[in-house]
Amino acid sequence: MTDWTWEYNPSQEHVVGGLPPGVMAEIERLATELAVLGADAAKVGRPVDREGGLREFDILNGRGFINFLAVPRHHCVYVCGVTWYG
């Protein structure tokens, strides 16, 4: 277990406002799991050839994806964007 947390950036309304509750729950579940990974979250998802920077991770069997940043100096994973194909 790490001391990392996660947050929406810039805000929950901006990132996931209007999405179905099940999709929001899945995003929050994944964000919690990414925070548990701590600094290793910077290696998850795409791009696969490098770590750090804005990362992308598929959700719900390819029906969308999240963009996130793992910031070691803040001990935080920031969920910055969600694309939902419905």
Side-chain angles (χ1 to χ4, degrees):
M1 193 76 181
T2 68
D3 60 345
W4 280 52
T5 60
W6 71 271
E7 298 178 17
Y8 290 109
N9 186 7
S11 69
Q12 181 179 3
E13 180 61 31
H14 180 79
V15 177
V16 294
L19 289 177
V23 175
M24 289 178 59
E26 178 66 3
I27 291 164
E28 292 177 3
R29 184 189 69 78
L30 288 171
T32 300
E33 290 185 12
L34 289 166
V36 168
L37 288 174
D40 287 336
K43 302 173 186 173
V44 173
R46 293 178 296 268
V48 294
D49 58 341
R50 63 182 166 81
E51 65 181 66
L54 189 64
R55 313 294 297 171
E56 184 177 283
F57 193 79
D58 287 341
I59 58 173
L60 298 168
N61 297 320
R63 294 175 61 194
F65 59 89
I66 64 172
N67 295 93
F68 65 92
L69 287 168
V71 182
R73 72 175 176 268
H74 294 173
H75 289 234
C76 190
V77 172
Y78 295 100
V79 178
C80 303
V82 176
T83 300
W84 178 243
Y85 301 121

